[in-house]
Amino acid sequence: MAFYTQTELEALGFKYLGMNVKLSKLASIYNVGNIEIGDNSRIDDFCILSAGKEGICIGKHVHIGVYTSLIGAGRIVMEDYTCLSSKCSLYSSNDDYSGEFMTNPTVPSRYTNVSHASVTIKKHSLIGAGCVILPGVIIGECVAVGSLSLVNKSLESGFIYIGQPAKKIKKRSRNCEILGSELCLKG
């Protein structure tokens, strides 16, 4: 995997760019001026970050796996120590599927009824491979979402979820939060 150097990243014009960011040269980045990336975060090959007006905010120690996309006009936030495994899709915008309006970005907006809502993944949460996260979702702290799940509603902190739509399965250990605090202290 070939990553941009710090100098190359700074030249791209991010809204905010931390130190030791690893961004694959094979990722596609749109509206870079609306994207913030914190220290020690990594974005792998073939990812798409398409920031709308509200922007994308990626915290510290965040990993975004291969073939993952973050797309939409609403704000997208990934807090510290979060992870999107490979082939995840995170949307902060959604077409109207009722048939009352037209869909797709080639149609002028007066004929569509696209909705926009922020998506937030809170600290220490992990999203398994192939998950889809829809607009308006808040994933609480220390949540794990199993692979191939559909997240169409907000998820309560401290649990493991799986399914289509995602359902609460059991409590998740919160030891990762203690380890995160320890890592912060060691710098």
Side-chain angles (χ1 to χ4, degrees), residues 18-86:
M19 297 304 296
N20 194 36
V21 169
K22 302 289 186 213
L23 173 62
S24 169
K25 290 185 176 186
L26 297 177
S28 297
I29 310 294
Y30 302 96
N31 300 318
V32 70
N34 290 346
I35 299 174
E36 305 166 57
I37 304 176
D39 298 343
N40 302 303
S41 290
R42 185 176 111 187
I43 301 165
D44 291 345
D45 292 349
F46 312 113
C47 289
I48 300 170
L49 274 64
S50 181
K53 290 182 268 183
E54 300 295 320
I56 295 173
C57 179
I58 297 168
K60 297 176 185 173
H61 293 277
V62 171
H63 177 238
I64 300 175
V66 297
Y67 294 104
T68 292
S69 56
L70 286 72
I71 298 172
R75 185 152 178 81
I76 296 172
V77 176
M78 291 185 69
E79 293 184 357
D80 300 345
Y81 309 109
T82 57
C83 176
L84 288 172
S85 297
S86 61

Side-chain angles (χ1 to χ4, degrees), residues 2-148:
F3 294 111
Y4 287 102
T5 66
Q6 185 72 24
T7 303
E8 290 170 329
L9 286 170
E10 290 169 2
L12 292 175
F14 285 94
K15 183 175 181 178
Y16 173 81
L17 180 66
M19 297 304 296
N20 194 36
V21 169
K22 302 289 186 213
L23 173 62
S24 169
K25 290 185 176 186
L26 297 177
S28 297
I29 310 294
Y30 302 96
N31 300 318
V32 70
N34 290 346
I35 299 174
E36 305 166 57
I37 304 176
D39 298 343
N40 302 303
S41 290
R42 185 176 111 187
I43 301 165
D44 291 345
D45 292 349
F46 312 113
C47 289
I48 300 170
L49 274 64
S50 181
K53 290 182 268 183
E54 300 295 320
I56 295 173
C57 179
I58 297 168
K60 297 176 185 173
H61 293 277
V62 171
H63 177 238
I64 300 175
V66 297
Y67 294 104
T68 292
S69 56
L70 286 72
I71 298 172
R75 185 152 178 81
I76 296 172
V77 176
M78 291 185 69
E79 293 184 357
D80 300 345
Y81 309 109
T82 57
C83 176
L84 288 172
S85 297
S86 61
K87 297 184 181 180
C88 288
S89 299
L90 201 146
Y91 299 100
S92 65
S93 294
N94 201 10
D95 284 310
D96 181 326
Y97 293 91
S98 69
E100 295 294 319
F101 299 91
M102 296 178 72
T103 62
N104 90 51
T106 67
V107 175
S109 62
R110 69 180 179 270
Y111 299 107
T112 67
N113 186 33
V114 178
S115 60
H116 312 286
S118 296
V119 173
T120 301
I121 301 174
K122 295 200 171 271
K123 288 182 179 180
H124 299 287
S125 289
L126 163 68
I127 312 302
C131 288
V132 175
I133 301 172
L134 296 180
V137 165
I138 298 172
I139 295 176
E141 290 185 5
C142 202
V143 164
V145 179
S147 296
L148 301 174

Side-chain angles (χ1 to χ4, degrees), residues 124-128 139-147 149 155-156 158-162 167 169-170 172:
H124 299 287
S125 289
L126 163 68
I127 312 302
I139 295 176
E141 290 185 5
C142 202
V143 164
V145 179
S147 296
S149 293
L155 305 179
E156 182 183 352
F159 287 93
I160 299 171
Y161 296 81
I162 194 164
K167 291 184 178 25
I169 302 300
K170 66 179 185 175
R172 183 176 186 222

